[in-house]
Amino acid sequence: MPILPGVAIVTGASRGIGRAIAAALAASGHRVVLSYRDREDQAANLVENIRAAGGEAVPVRADVGQPMEADALVRTALDTFGQVDVLVNNAGVHLPGVPLAAVRWEEWERLLRVNLSGPFRLIQAVIPQMRERRRGHTVNISSNVTQRFPAGRGPYAVSKVGLEAMTRILAEEEGPHGIRVNAIAPGPIRTDMLEESLKVMGPERAEAFIRSVPLGRPGQPEEIASVVVFLVSDAASFITGQVIYVNGGGPGG
């Protein structure tokens, strides 16, 4: 009986890093279930591109910060393909330029729901069938802010520190079940989120920030996607519980 290609869930896949990850996993042979929240046209375009290249992809509208929608995303993947081999927790929101003391409770709660509680819920939903099959991969998309702790990025940094802690703990707990769990912490990557952050910084600070990257430039979403593909491949079979910084050498302030 032929072995079917793996199945990957990628959250926040309509644009930016998530879009590049979904496309790269599809190109590597995975059947992809990609979630989006608002940009239905962009998600549909990505699915069309994947199918045109001979791959399989299913779009699912889901706000992963809502537990029932996160559960429904995993159910769709299981109902459609019968398994989930890869979970990429990429969906995230941020709140640049707001000091912690000025963050409204609603903003704090929303950010933690999407960035931390959403991945937690999705992981719990996929783990049982991964354990049953004794194989599976989770890749959590963190951020370089966990090294820098910049002012004005408090809630976002807190959520990503929590995500990295969850990564390390899950790797220890699930390793005996054949499941690997890693995180990628991008530096500045050319996405809408970066452009919003640079705008808040202002031209001079933004230019200095980019200059502080030793490689002298922002990264591209595809440079994160290629690391995801590596981590879920057999080439990374002895890698788990790691946070891999893909940041051009590490921006400064």
Side-chain angles (χ1 to χ4, degrees):
M1 192 171 181
I3 298 175
L4 293 172
V7 177
I9 295 174
V10 182
T11 66
S14 64
R15 60 175 179 161
I17 291 173
R19 185 183 183 92
I21 291 170
L25 286 171
S28 72
H30 287 81
R31 295 168 287 169
V32 180
V33 177
L34 56 97
S35 80
Y36 65 95
R37 191 182 66 186
D38 301 317
R39 295 170 175 81
E40 183 176 6
D41 56 338
Q42 294 182 36
N45 172 259
L46 174 58
V47 168
E48 183 181 340
N49 292 344
I50 290 172
R51 290 174 178 170
E56 292 185 68
V58 174
V60 179
R61 191 209 167 279
D63 179 349
V64 298
Q66 301 296 327
M68 300 303 289
E69 295 188 29
D71 291 347
L73 172 60
V74 174
R75 279 199 308 272
T76 297
L78 293 174
D79 289 345
T80 304
F81 296 119
Q83 65 193 62
V84 175
D85 301 274
V86 175
L87 169 64
V88 182
N89 285 310
N90 166 76
V93 294
H94 71 152
L95 188 67
V98 182
L100 270 172
V103 174
R104 300 198 314 271
W105 171 255
E106 295 78 9
E107 294 169 329
W108 171 268
E109 189 180 44
R110 166 65 179 161
L111 193 145
L112 289 180
R113 275 205 321 269
V114 174
N115 293 7
L116 186 56
S117 297
F120 170 72
R121 186 79 175 201
L122 288 164
I123 286 165
Q124 284 197 323
V126 301
I127 283 291
Q129 59 88 39
M130 286 184 176
R131 283 181 173 179
E132 184 178 339
R133 297 170 58 237
R134 296 199 59 79
R135 62 174 289 115
H137 310 278
T138 293
V139 180
N140 297 317
I141 305 301
S142 182
S143 169
N144 189 75
V145 298
T146 60
Q147 283 190 328
R148 298 168 42 238
F149 297 105
R153 301 291 297 278
Y156 185 74
V158 168
S159 72
K160 295 303 186 180
V161 168
L163 190 63
E164 291 184 8
M166 188 161 64
T167 297
R168 291 188 166 106
I169 293 166
L170 278 165
E172 291 198 29
E173 294 177 345
E174 301 304 328
H177 301 288
I179 299 166
R180 294 195 288 110
V181 186
N182 291 289
I184 297 173
I189 305 296
R190 279 294 179 200
T191 62
D192 293 346
M193 188 177 287
L194 175 64
E195 295 307 317
E196 290 166 8
S197 296
L198 295 178
K199 187 175 180 179
V200 169
M201 289 181 188
E204 290 186 10
R205 282 185 59 213
E207 184 179 350
F209 174 71
I210 296 301
R211 282 204 312 268
S212 74
V213 178
L215 289 184
R217 64 171 177 85
Q220 298 296 327
E222 291 75 15
E223 292 175 298
I224 304 301
S226 64
V227 182
V228 173
V229 172
F230 165 69
L231 285 175
V232 304
S233 73
D234 289 341
S237 58
F238 203 54
I239 299 176
T240 194
Q242 303 305 303
V243 178
I244 299 175
Y245 289 87
V246 185
N247 59 9

